[in-house]
Amino acid sequence: MQNSTYLKKISKFSVFFIANIILLFVISLSTIYSATITKSEPFFIKEIIWFILGLIVFVVVSLIDYRKYYKYSMAIYIFNIIMLLSVLVIGTSRLGAKRWIDLGPLALQPSEFSKLLLIFTFSAYLINNYSDKYTGFKAMFMCFLHIFPVFFLIAIEPDLGTSLVIILIYGMLLFLNKLEWKCIITVFASIAGLIPIAYKFLLKEYQKDRIDTFLNPESDALGTGWNITQSKIAIGSGKIFGKGFLNNTQGKLKYLPESHTDFIGSVFLEERGFIGGSMLLLIYIVLLAQILYIADTTQDKFGKYICYGVATIFFFHIFVNMGMIMGIMPVTGLPLLLMSYGGSSLVFSFLILGVVQSVKIHRGNK
């Protein structure tokens, strides 16, 4: 009987959805191989291992009824806070930030998974307190108090990119919950006015350097502007059709740092050119469209909010990372999900996509 239930759930998996994910990973794997072929560490093999683990996570999470997260939202919220606090206590510092917890041969980045947990708890909070009500300034403030502990603990790591994702999730779910237009206009006006103050007093020096480099990378092309300058050279040298597989010179000759992680898109565009980059962007757009379709065809508000939250995460990562490698966005360290090398990033991607599949599978069940 139990096996029959699982088979029935598996039959509801979206084959097109899964095929899209695997296609992105195959592109990622070939690019990682090309970007790291001259390096001694077996990044290619490690990524395959992470893929297998991620695929298992995807299937398991898909089979779990997503509505359980609503039922246990308070426990999830407390766990999220404890997990982020543990980073401050036992976390490992790298590149000036304490974001990782070393677990033997593995390094876990809790802030990655914190985004999904916040979607669960914030969605439940909105439904419990502001369902079918227009959300005004008071509700905005109370909702911000809900997300603030998570936002603050991530911001002080520091992790600017993930902090911005948290704010974007907050804004998206508030908007879906009938946020009043006067609030939207006031918030955007306030943000515009606060940007200079935040730059002057809140950002750390390396974050200011990233913004200065974004505005004028040529001013220090051999220093802080090196990554962006080399990325633009790589992309430009790919032209229309690219140089071909294994023919990325910027990555192989080590001119482009982090060629297999943050700047993997630069390697891909150098090898595949404008045509390849356009196809990659189209694949991501199709994936986002599938997530939004599941959201819009789901009557359950909790499931709808989850899907929109996941789509927000993917959109922001894609927009910022691709903008970053082209020099039209500041460097934030956000990976290109399903493309950039990294265990936490890949497993997280499969995890959130598994939750979307769970919404599709269980939304009609009672």
Side-chain angles (χ1 to χ4, degrees), residues 56-67:
I56 294 171
V57 169
F58 175 83
V59 173
V60 171
V61 171
S62 296
L63 296 176
I64 298 173
D65 191 335
Y66 71 93
R67 288 167 293 191

Side-chain angles (χ1 to χ4, degrees), residues 12 20 51-52 54 92 106 127 131 144 148 153 161 174-175 188 203 213 225 266 269 283 317 358:
K12 294 183 179 180
N20 202 343
F51 169 75
I52 295 170
T92 303
L106 305 179
I127 293 168
S131 184
F144 185 74
F148 180 74
L153 289 172
L174 272 180
F175 179 77
F188 276 103
L203 297 184
T213 299
S266 307
L269 288 170
I283 294 170
H317 275 258
S358 174

Side-chain angles (χ1 to χ4, degrees), residues 136-180:
F137 289 109
K138 181 180 178 182
M140 277 183 62
F141 177 73
M142 297 305 295
C143 289
F144 185 74
L145 290 181
H146 177 87
I147 72 155
F148 180 74
V150 176
F151 169 78
F152 177 75
L153 289 172
I154 292 174
I156 63 173
E157 291 183 354
D159 189 344
L160 177 61
T162 304
S163 301
L164 292 175
V165 175
I166 295 297
I167 294 297
L168 198 62
I169 291 170
Y170 164 75
M172 173 57 75
L173 295 186
L174 272 180
F175 179 77
L176 289 175
N177 205 66
K178 300 180 180 178
L179 181 63
E180 294 178 354

Side-chain angles (χ1 to χ4, degrees), residues 33-309:
Y33 178 78
S34 181
T36 62
I37 193 170
T38 59
K39 299 178 181 180
S40 57
E41 193 170 347
F43 294 101
F44 177 78
I45 302 299
K46 286 184 176 180
E47 194 73 352
I48 293 176
I49 295 172
W50 282 115
F51 169 75
I52 295 170
L53 178 60
L55 204 56
I56 294 171
V57 169
F58 175 83
V59 173
V60 171
V61 171
S62 296
L63 296 176
I64 298 173
D65 191 335
Y66 71 93
R67 288 167 293 191
K68 292 183 183 297
Y69 309 126
Y70 177 86
K71 182 179 179 181
Y72 299 107
S73 60
M74 182 54 68
I76 292 172
Y77 186 79
I78 295 171
F79 173 77
N80 199 4
I81 301 299
I82 293 173
M83 180 178 66
L84 292 172
L85 283 172
S86 68
V87 178
L88 302 178
V89 179
I90 61 174
T92 303
S93 296
R94 299 177 188 173
L95 303 175
K98 184 180 280 191
R99 305 174 188 170
W100 296 267
I101 296 177
D102 286 332
L103 302 172
L106 305 179
L108 179 69
Q109 189 173 348
S111 60
E112 284 283 351
F113 302 94
S114 180
K115 292 177 286 192
L116 177 62
L117 300 184
L118 184 71
I119 290 173
F120 293 153
T121 59
F122 187 42
S123 297
Y125 179 82
L126 282 171
I127 293 168
N128 289 336
N129 295 279
Y130 302 104
S131 184
D132 299 321
K133 298 177 184 177
Y134 278 96
T135 310
F137 289 109
K138 181 180 178 182
M140 277 183 62
F141 177 73
M142 297 305 295
C143 289
F144 185 74
L145 290 181
H146 177 87
I147 72 155
F148 180 74
V150 176
F151 169 78
F152 177 75
L153 289 172
I154 292 174
I156 63 173
E157 291 183 354
D159 189 344
L160 177 61
T162 304
S163 301
L164 292 175
V165 175
I166 295 297
I167 294 297
L168 198 62
I169 291 170
Y170 164 75
M172 173 57 75
L173 295 186
L174 272 180
F175 179 77
L176 289 175
N177 205 66
K178 300 180 180 178
L179 181 63
E180 294 178 354
W181 278 104
K182 64 180 180 181
C183 296
I184 297 173
I185 295 170
T186 303
V187 167
F188 276 103
S190 301
I191 290 173
L194 289 172
I195 285 176
I197 298 173
Y199 176 87
K200 184 71 175 177
F201 299 106
L202 299 180
L203 297 184
K204 294 183 178 293
E205 283 303 317
Y206 82 92
Q207 293 169 335
K208 292 180 181 179
D209 288 341
R210 286 179 173 182
I211 293 174
D212 294 340
T213 299
F214 156 65
L215 295 173
N216 188 14
E218 288 77 16
S219 64
D220 189 13
L222 298 178
T224 56
W226 177 265
N227 288 5
I228 294 299
T229 302
Q230 296 304 316
S231 176
K232 290 164 77 172
I233 291 172
I235 293 171
S237 65
K239 298 182 180 179
I240 299 296
F241 299 103
K243 295 179 177 179
F245 182 54
L246 299 179
N247 290 324
N248 71 91
T249 54
Q250 296 302 107
K252 282 184 179 179
L253 298 177
K254 300 182 180 179
Y255 288 118
L256 183 63
E258 309 298 334
S259 59
H260 60 301
T261 54
D262 292 351
F263 288 90
I264 194 169
S266 307
V267 175
F268 180 80
L269 288 170
E270 184 178 6
E271 293 187 348
R272 307 301 180 183
F274 176 78
I275 299 298
S278 299
M279 294 301 296
L280 178 64
L281 186 59
L282 178 61
I283 294 170
Y284 272 115
I285 290 172
V286 171
L287 180 64
L288 285 171
Q290 291 179 84
I291 296 172
L292 294 177
Y293 177 76
I294 293 172
D296 290 339
T297 54
T298 299
Q299 297 299 317
D300 176 48
K301 187 174 284 190
F302 185 62
K304 186 185 295 288
Y305 283 5
I306 287 175
C307 291
Y308 269 98

